[in-house]
Amino acid sequence: MSINFEKSQSLFNRAQQTIPGGVNSPVRAFKGVGGTPPFITKGQGPYIFDADGNRFVDFVGSWGPLILGHAHPEIITAIQKIAQKGTSFGAPTELEIELAEMIVERVPSAEMVRLVNSGTEATMSAVRVARGVTGRDKMVKFDGCYHGHGDSFLIAAGSGALTLGEPNSPGVTKGTAADTLLAQFNDIESVKTLFQNNPDQIACVIVEPINGNTGCIPPQNDFLLQLREVCSANGALLILDEVMTGFRVARGGANELYGVDADLLTFGKVIGGGMPIGAYGGKREFMEQVSPVGPIYQAGTLSGNPVAVTAGIETLKRLDKLAYDKLESLSAYWSNGLQTIIGKNGYPLTQHRVGSMFTLFFTDHSIRNTQDVAHCDIHQFNRWFHGMLENGVYLAPSQYEAGFMSLAHTYEILDETLAKAEAVLGEIF
Ligand code: KE4
């Protein structure tokens, strides 16, 4: 079945005249998978619709925020209602206290939080706090992890940077790069070596507790608990970057799921319910070093604006135990159904899933970190991606990304999608 992308192609041509690559975030340009990105006109529950009138079952959900599904009626109503009272004041509001209290109540290691406008702002600020409170310059990140586009993070970065083959971005100074040390995810010895070689110089280790930006790779064998121990033993702060995993994999995120105590944590995506937002927080002793209480500066014109905060509050309100049970049931149904297809046909494919985030890797090689993802057959992945797109299923346009289930998906939709998956995989292998 071939679907029509004419209007999207025309819009893409026009967009490229005034916007770099025609997109406002690189991975959207489909450069990794090829072809024309559909220009989306509407989202509704589990579906998105494009300029040519095509409907897709959406497993990207704006890269994680739309955990309730697109245009949830009660979220939209709440946004409309609050916007009528004004969209931003640059002054404190009660709503910000409510969202901060909801985050603190849910996240075991969060005693205080500061709201910002994106995940990138959150991670940049958290690392600045770690450097400020320790007086140390260096930070450790993991090969293939992505923490937004802050200079310090664009070293061996995952997500779009990896997809486009530029994990080390030009424009990052040598000095900045020198302060970013690289370790391998799920390899605690690689972290210990960095601490041995850089005594008393490392301010923090920042980690995606589930590496979602090189495809979904869970921590193995108490890796996170070992990371906690190594940081404590060396006077470094442990920062859990939960922009993707926060409120996604459990009500208290990976912090709760894996029971690993963090000094600082970062959030985004789900806490904005589709509106621009981020947050960083953690132990009071560190967060009270943040301006205006402490000397570590961080600010933002639209931080905590009532529209994004309201969308976040109303989203978190609807993420109760029943919701996480439903997300787990839907996601298990999907991955079990796919595993049946893989097993029946002996396909060389590997699935990883934690809660409602998941990835199908085009290799039967075991995958521990981004080095292993190099074994994937990207050509076959791209055929999978386009085969499913042609069948009205919108997957993440990169092998190095995670997919997301929403509460708006149904078992009937998953049955239909599994049937399409079986047909597409049958054509590939
Ligand atoms: P934003 O600045 O894009 O809101 O958040 C950056 C970020 C930080 N930390 C983690 C773990 C993240 O996954 C992200 C952003 N995730 C990507 C998807 N892999 C955003 C999609 C995009 O870049 O367009």
Side-chain angles (χ1 to χ4, degrees), residues 25 27 63 118-120 146-148 159 213 241 243-244 269 401:
S25 200
V27 72
W63 302 96
S118 69
T120 295
Y146 178 73
H147 304 291
S159 183
N213 283 293
D241 177 358
V243 168
M244 185 184 287
K269 297 181 192 277
E401 294 286 358

Side-chain angles (χ1 to χ4, degrees), residues 3-5 7-9 11-12 28-30 35-41 48-52 54 56 385-386 389 394 397:
I3 56 177
N4 173 19
F5 284 123
K7 286 217 176 82
S8 284
Q9 183 60 63
L11 288 168
F12 194 33
R28 303 177 189 173
F30 277 24
T36 301
F39 275 59
I40 306 305
T41 55
I48 50 176
F49 300 79
D50 74 5
D52 292 285
N54 300 306
F56 303 95
F385 172 81
H386 282 290
L389 191 69
Y394 192 85

Side-chain angles (χ1 to χ4, degrees), residues 1 334 338 341 345 347 349 360 362 379-393 395 416-429:
M1 179 182 100
W334 165 254
L338 202 48
I341 297 166
N345 297 284
Y347 291 146
L349 299 172
L360 178 62
F362 275 71
H379 175 66
Q380 283 180 341
F381 171 82
N382 291 350
R383 290 183 62 196
W384 158 251
F385 172 81
H386 282 290
M388 293 299 273
L389 191 69
E390 290 282 336
N391 279 279
V393 180
L395 303 173
E416 290 164 5
T417 310
L418 286 165
K420 294 171 180 176
E422 182 154 32
V424 170
L425 290 171
E427 286 166 18
I428 293 173
F429 292 104

Side-chain angles (χ1 to χ4, degrees), residues 65 67-68 75 270 272-274 310-319:
I67 196 166
L68 300 184
I75 305 297
V270 167
T310 295
I313 289 169
E314 295 306 319
T315 297
L316 292 188
K317 274 182 186 171
R318 288 161 178 79
L319 291 174

